[in-house]
Amino acid sequence: MAIGFLVICFSCGFGLISVYRAAFKAAGTRILREVQYAPETTDPGPVVDPMLESGADILCWCSSYAPMVHALTEYAYAKGFQGQIISCTMDGYDRLVARTSPELMEGVVFQFPDFDDPMLREKAFFFNRPHVFFAEYNRRFPETWSAVSWEYVAMLDIWHSAVEKAGSVATPSVLAAMKQLGHVTHAFGHAEWWGEEIFGISNALIGDWPVVTVQDSKARIAAFKSIPDWLAAHSGLLKSELAALGQLWHQRLESGGPGGQVSSRAVQG
């Protein structure tokens, strides 16, 4: 299957670019074109036009921020694109359904679910009754649900549990408490500490993560996939892609380059 692949051109996104490259290669999917753009870019035309000209039947927005995800998707729709769209996030996807079409948005793949998803009721979760939380969140803060509405709260929950266990807020003590049992329950269940081979230290939690698709104009979890299992099969490929962009820990240490600037992901109505 042919694919067009979009990447963002600033340093804090290079790690994710490597992940997408490795994932597509592991799946045997051909990358026809990569388009890099600066984070301050707001015009989707120069980004999307070369991708459409490549003849790709899949467009990937990689880790573009939500406002640009909306602009890119709406532009592709206006240009008549009818293929598959993949993105890290798809905050405000309901607005995109309204501004494009249910047909274009059907099957869009991303990785952050709504918490009223039926599959979360059957999953070992970091808090009880996620659908109730989702309903209350939307009642209090309508049309603001996003990938970070719960992501950082889940991280804080892990930190809070470790603080209680350590009896201290000192970073070394909290980290030691987190790692004492060798695993932590993260947002979607059991997770393992990983990363030394690539990052120089095993401070990344990996476990199952949902594959989310738009089905009948509503985000639904299609499946949970094991990141540890994928890494067991493809960590060498991921490492080579990270090395190609200078993202291995020793490369970053040697380069001494500053990190990129992160700005708001919020989508305006």
Side-chain angles (χ1 to χ4, degrees), residues 97-233:
V97 171
R99 291 172 179 172
T100 61
S101 72
E103 291 75 22
L104 176 68
M105 294 297 293
E106 184 73 16
V108 166
V109 175
F110 56 111
Q111 60 192 58
F112 292 92
D114 291 342
F115 274 19
D116 61 350
D117 196 292
M119 288 190 68
L120 292 181
R121 302 184 188 190
E122 308 301 324
K123 186 72 175 174
F125 210 60
F126 74 100
F127 61 75
N128 291 326
R129 302 189 299 165
H131 59 293
V132 176
F133 171 82
F134 183 75
E136 180 64 14
Y137 183 98
N138 283 300
R139 186 187 69 81
R140 295 190 189 185
F141 313 104
E143 298 184 4
T144 62
W145 181 264
S146 74
V148 298
S149 298
W150 57 271
E151 189 177 11
Y152 298 147
V153 178
M155 295 175 189
L156 184 61
D157 187 65
I158 294 171
W159 176 86
H160 182 261
S161 296
V163 167
E164 290 184 330
K165 184 173 185 178
S168 170
V169 295
T171 299
S173 299
V174 174
L175 182 60
M178 284 183 182
K179 293 190 172 182
Q180 188 173 16
L181 295 178
H183 71 273
V184 170
T185 299
H186 79 345
F188 300 110
H190 174 87
E192 304 169 6
W193 293 106
W194 176 87
E196 184 173 357
E197 179 183 2
I198 290 177
F199 302 123
I201 190 168
S202 291
N203 277 2
L205 278 174
I206 61 170
D208 287 353
W209 200 266
V211 178
V212 181
T213 65
V214 176
Q215 303 172 23
D216 295 325
S217 300
K218 172 66 176 173
R220 286 290 182 232
I221 296 173
F224 283 94
K225 294 294 184 179
S226 170
I227 296 175
D229 287 353
W230 189 91
L231 286 167

Side-chain angles (χ1 to χ4, degrees), residues 67 70 95 99 264 266-269:
H70 279 233
R95 278 167 272 172
R99 291 172 179 172
S264 174
V267 178
Q268 300 301 316

Side-chain angles (χ1 to χ4, degrees), residues 35 43-50 75:
V35 181
D43 182 3
V47 178
V48 179
D49 283 338
Y75 186 89

Side-chain angles (χ1 to χ4, degrees), residues 5-26 31 33-39 60-64 88 111 230 237-247 252:
F5 182 44
L6 174 72
V7 295
I8 52 179
C9 187
F10 61 116
S11 60
C12 71
F14 286 161
L16 280 175
I17 294 167
S18 303
V19 171
Y20 274 99
R21 285 180 176 179
F24 288 134
K25 290 182 179 180
I31 299 171
R33 184 72 183 266
E34 294 187 359
V35 181
Q36 298 184 357
Y37 68 91
C60 178
W61 306 146
C62 193
S63 54
S64 298
C88 177
Q111 60 192 58
W230 189 91
L237 176 58
L238 175 59
K239 187 174 183 179
S240 68
E241 293 297 336
L242 287 163
L245 290 175
Q247 293 299 293
R252 294 170 66 88

